[in-house]
Amino acid sequence: MAKKIVNLLILLPLGVILIVFCVANRQSVTLAFNPFRPDDQVLAVSAPFFVFLFIALISGMLIGSAATWFSQGKHRKRARTEAKEAIRWQGEADRHRTRAEDIAGQLPSR
């Protein structure tokens, strides 16, 4: 129930804002990749303005996510190493515990 409320409070206004944004920026623009001959149609793309804005937003999010992922690689590597070490130490502790139980079982009871 709480998830539905959160979805209604956040996603519904966001969707309305995106729809209004798309309607307000629907005029067609041309993105020319040739700075010396902007009228060259081979290296130009025409689309509504909001498409270019969404492409810029999505590519910025992807580039930022990739940069964050690569910059945090050393932390993930350290976590993997420490997890393997913890598993090794846990195994060693289990071996010592069973050995201690075996020794305690061999002692004469009083």
Side-chain angles (χ1 to χ4, degrees):
M1 183 67 179
K3 188 175 181 179
K4 278 188 171 186
I5 293 172
V6 170
N7 284 341
L8 285 175
L9 290 176
I10 294 175
L11 295 179
L12 185 67
L14 185 63
V16 171
I17 290 170
L18 285 175
I19 291 171
V20 169
F21 180 77
C22 291
V23 170
N25 292 298
R26 67 178 186 258
Q27 63 273 17
S28 183
V29 294
T30 302
L31 177 63
F33 293 106
N34 187 353
F36 302 110
R37 289 188 49 208
D39 56 342
D40 185 14
Q41 293 300 318
V42 175
L43 295 174
V45 177
S46 293
F49 186 58
F50 72 88
V51 171
F52 293 121
L53 291 176
F54 282 156
I55 289 172
L57 178 71
I58 290 170
S59 63
M61 289 172 56
L62 290 175
I63 291 169
S65 298
T68 302
W69 189 75
F70 283 120
S71 68
Q72 293 177 350
K74 59 185 172 189
H75 302 295
R76 287 191 308 276
K77 182 178 181 181
R78 182 175 174 199
R80 281 192 307 268
T81 305
E82 289 180 358
K84 288 178 185 176
E85 188 175 337
I87 290 170
R88 189 187 59 159
W89 281 108
Q90 183 66 38
E92 188 172 335
D94 289 341
R95 283 192 306 274
H96 286 297
R97 184 179 304 116
T98 57
R99 184 159 186 256
E101 289 171 355
D102 290 344
I103 292 172
Q106 293 173 0
L107 292 176
S109 52
R110 296 182 193 191

